[in-house]
Amino acid sequence: MITTSGAVLLGAALLATVTLRPGEERIVLRHADPDTVATGAAVYVEHCAACHGPNLEGQPDWRSPGPDGRLPAPPHDETGHTWHHDGETLFRLTKFGIGALIDDPDYASNMPVYDGVLTDEEIVAVLSYIKSTWPEDIRARHDDMESR
């Protein structure tokens, strides 16, 4: 369980390691930037599609643990829950892993940690690509969540 002080320290530590663009105060997904989206699509194919599917469809029965007790890869299209999370959360989950996000180093997941594998810009590009594929109403809902 994360204590309030532990969550603050974890959040501060994670924020300190995130590279932002000049003038940005937080992670900003750039789903309307064609260059970012193109980069993200290429990185997605190389690092994500094997588990999350070439069409962002995820693995079958992604809500039910498999024989190993771990959840299959969820879809990143509008049928999944990706768009329910703000860009900062998605970035941290991708870079540091679920265990770090929930402060449970023993959390078992098939999702790799991409810290040291992908740059911050590549992670933002992948997330921007994913967001660019969502229907307009889903992107608008996500934008609204991000503006809070």
Side-chain angles (χ1 to χ4, degrees), residues 33-114:
D33 176 359
D35 292 334
T36 299
V37 169
T39 297
V43 174
Y44 179 87
V45 166
E46 184 176 347
H47 292 277
C48 313
C51 294
H52 292 282
N55 298 309
L56 304 129
E57 72 274 15
Q59 294 176 331
D61 300 320
W62 63 275
R63 289 185 174 115
S64 301
D68 61 1
R70 298 177 181 186
L71 291 169
H76 289 312
D77 61 15
E78 71 277 5
T79 67
H81 60 78
T82 306
W83 62 271
H84 295 178
H85 304 288
D86 63 79
E88 297 245 358
T89 300
L90 295 171
F91 178 89
R92 292 180 194 325
L93 184 134
T94 305
K95 183 169 182 169
F96 303 111
I98 297 169
L101 191 70
I102 64 171
D103 197 26
D104 181 357
D106 297 324
Y107 182 84
S109 172
N110 292 328
M111 173 73 180
V113 171
Y114 284 97

Side-chain angles (χ1 to χ4, degrees), residues 24-38:
E24 289 181 349
E25 296 178 14
R26 60 185 180 85
I27 297 298
V28 176
L29 300 186
R30 299 183 292 277
H31 61 281
D33 176 359
D35 292 334
T36 299
V37 169

